[in-house]
Amino acid sequence: MIRTSQRKPFRATVTVPGDKSISHRSIMFGAVANGTTEIEGFLPGADCLSTIRCFQQMGVEIERLSETAVRVRGRGFEGLKEAASPLDVGNSGTTIRLMLGLLSGVPIYSTLIGDESIARRPMKRVVDPLRKMGARIDGREDGRFTPIGVRGGALQGITYESPVASAQVKSCLLLAGLNAEGDTVVREPAQSRDHTERMLPGFGVELEANGTEVRIKGGQTLTGTKVRVPGDISSAAFILAAALMVPGSQVTVEHVGLNPTRTGILDAFRMMGAEVRTEITAHWCNEPVGNVTVSCNDLHGVEIGGALIPRLIDEIPILAVVATQAHGTTVIKDAQELKVKETNRIATTAKELRKLGASVEETEDGLIIEGGTQLSGGHCHSHGDHRIGMAMAIAGFAASGDVVVEGTEAMDVSFPGFAGLIAQL
Ligand code: S3P
């Protein structure tokens, strides 16, 4: 349980744990590379630990040198062995979707399972194109849901026009494409996060990435490398939002990933009138890294939609919280993907914010939030969704009474240490 309450203006400089998307990929790519991969700044969150366990089950030697340093001794795709029990991805959509692609071209059998939330999340978006490549996959309701089994074998490259802008779909197919015959091309309606495209060349893989189209040649192998993981901008968003909830506050998050496919939330905050300053100080593994400073100004409502949505998809719950404090109406549209996240985030965001007296309307593809409300105290629940739990805890910063959030163990999925960090602000 976390209890938060109205804050006095604060100034702080903080760092946040490593990027979840990059941490997953560093383990997966390292596990199928030839040679050793050393990872620094790894996110020791529950989701990434699930990825480590899955590959350990397949015989890959993965050592935690410290909380955030990991050594992976890969022996190529051939080094993966059949696991004696199902691979349990826990709550992690990225783990299961990327692994389905990776395993489709490796000649072993695997069963993948996860928690209750994973059991509700759609797998057809990857199973359909993988089957087109020749993958042998079966699962509950014809492979729509977990448990899901994959018997890896020969694959053919395809050109796939994805109906959704999803980095999980794109990355899944690119990983399958590594073991396919010929080229695999993935096109998406708007560009999703491009960490796979940025990281694979560091492992010696050649690919062509061109905004919404990526092409990869089959039959490539990976070579172990060093990976330094930047702070997760999705975690930083909660801290930046905290400053925006308390007039007169300013916060800087250091060493955070500033990949443009992820910085949509900074653009949204700017559109609302916040002062947001970024400074790129380095590039780690082809990813821009730097500092972000946000100061609280008078905020106003905005309309968010289109190609901006994939660039801030995970930040919409916290954006909705900030919107309750802006003058005027905020409209979030084209975000139907929220319905198939860890929870239906259109429903859970609206339900939890209403408990604090916010005026929030659910639409088919987003939310409409009437700003300028004085939030009240209340009793909220994470619904087992890390980002819903953290968003509600930050809402307490502007509430007239105490906000109590239950189900806080979910926060460990992406942001271990969240409670301690916000207590310091
Ligand atoms: C992720 C992609 C996104 C995002 C998720 C992580 C990734 O999901 O929401 O938290 O690491 O590839 P979708 O691909 O479903 O949009």
Side-chain angles (χ1 to χ4, degrees):
M1 190 220 29
I2 287 187
R3 183 188 300 268
T4 51
S5 53
Q6 197 153 42
R7 294 292 160 107
K8 296 206 171 62
F10 61 88
R11 282 181 170 249
T13 297
V14 302
T15 57
V16 293
D19 187 276
K20 180 159 76 70
S21 294
I22 298 177
S23 295
H24 279 302
R25 286 161 173 79
S26 66
I27 298 293
M28 292 186 190
F29 302 171
V32 297
N34 292 296
T36 302
T37 293
E38 305 261 1
I39 307 160
E40 223 185 291
F42 178 77
L43 167 66
D47 271 13
C48 299
L49 298 179
S50 295
T51 296
I52 289 188
R53 269 193 304 274
C54 288
F55 283 95
Q56 285 173 331
Q57 279 181 266
M58 290 187 284
V60 181
E61 220 184 292
I62 305 177
E63 228 182 310
R64 302 271 306 276
L65 304 175
S66 71
E67 263 305 275
T68 58
V70 183
R71 182 185 292 145
V72 185
R73 291 187 200 275
R75 293 204 205 95
F77 286 101
E78 323 70 75
L80 298 182
K81 302 280 172 282
E82 263 178 17
S85 49
L87 304 173
D88 187 351
V89 305
N91 191 243
S92 178
T94 305
T95 308
I96 192 162
R97 297 210 179 98
L98 269 59
M99 283 188 52
L100 281 169
L102 189 148
L103 292 170
S104 285
V106 180
I108 58 173
Y109 174 78
S110 315
T111 306
L112 293 109
I113 58 168
D115 68 6
E116 282 166 38
S117 157
I118 279 290
R120 289 190 298 266
R121 297 184 68 184
M123 295 300 140
K124 259 293 168 84
R125 54 180 55 200
V126 293
V127 169
D128 280 344
L130 286 172
R131 282 181 178 157
K132 285 195 181 122
M133 296 177 79
R136 286 183 293 169
I137 301 179
D138 207 350
R140 183 164 55 96
E141 293 189 24
D142 187 32
R144 276 183 180 77
F145 301 108
T146 55
I148 198 155
V150 50
R151 180 171 295 286
L155 300 178
Q156 267 297 326
I158 56 166
T159 294
Y160 187 64
E161 310 266 351
S162 177
V164 281
S166 159
Q168 293 178 359
V169 171
K170 173 175 62 176
S171 304
C172 163
L173 300 180
L174 294 175
L175 291 174
L178 279 172
N179 279 311
E181 208 179 295
D183 287 8
T184 296
V185 180
V186 187
R187 293 196 193 109
E188 45 183 358
Q191 190 179 12
S192 63
R193 62 190 67 191
D194 63 354
H195 304 299
T196 297
E197 299 92 297
R198 285 174 185 260
M199 193 187 286
L200 278 176
F203 284 84
V205 169
E206 281 177 34
L207 52 80
E208 278 169 44
N210 197 345
T212 54
E213 180 180 305
V214 189
R215 174 185 296 268
I216 198 161
K217 212 184 278 309
Q220 300 195 61
T221 54
L222 285 71
T223 307
T225 186
K226 280 193 168 23
V227 178
R228 193 165 172 196
V229 183
D232 197 326
I233 183 131
S234 296
S235 299
F238 294 104
I239 307 301
L240 302 174
L244 295 180
M245 299 295 285
V246 185
S249 300
Q250 180 177 310
V251 77
T252 299
V253 183
E254 292 181 321
H255 314 307
V256 68
L258 293 173
N259 177 325
T261 62
R262 295 286 300 283
T263 50
I265 187 66
L266 304 182
D267 295 344
F269 286 158
R270 284 188 185 108
M271 286 160 68
M272 296 175 93
E275 193 185 323
V276 180
R277 275 175 287 137
T278 57
E279 179 199 10
I280 294 176
T281 54
H283 278 81
W284 297 349
C285 305
N286 215 6
E287 297 274 352
V289 184
N291 307 326
V292 188
T293 301
V294 163
S295 321
C296 185
N297 291 340
D298 241 9
L299 301 181
H300 52 80
V302 281
E303 195 173 306
I304 305 274
L308 183 54
I309 294 295
R311 296 180 55 235
L312 50 62
I313 188 71
D314 290 340
E315 288 67 72
I316 291 175
I318 189 62
L319 180 62
V321 170
V322 172
T324 67
Q325 301 307 297
H327 300 293
T329 308
T330 292
V331 178
I332 299 167
K333 58 178 193 177
D334 304 323
Q336 42 294 60
E337 274 294 297
L338 290 177
K339 293 183 183 167
V340 291
K341 292 295 176 189
E342 286 81 332
T343 56
N344 174 343
R345 287 184 177 157
I346 294 181
T348 47
T349 302
K351 178 172 183 194
E352 295 304 308
L353 271 175
R354 283 191 202 121
K355 289 181 182 169
L356 307 182
S359 159
V360 185
E361 189 189 321
E362 293 171 48
T363 63
E364 251 321 289
D365 64 349
L367 294 161
I368 300 174
I369 303 127
E370 292 304 336
T373 21
Q374 171 61 60
L375 297 178
S376 64
H379 209 101
C380 294
H381 206 286
S382 71
H383 299 259
D385 184 334
H386 51 138
R387 300 200 203 280
I388 298 296
M390 291 189 279
M392 299 319 296
I394 298 296
F397 279 38
S400 57
D402 283 2
V403 172
V404 173
V405 186
E406 303 278 2
T408 47
E409 58 294 336
M411 297 174 188
D412 277 347
V413 156
S414 64
F415 201 155
F418 172 78
L421 186 54
I422 62 164
Q424 274 173 34
L425 292 178

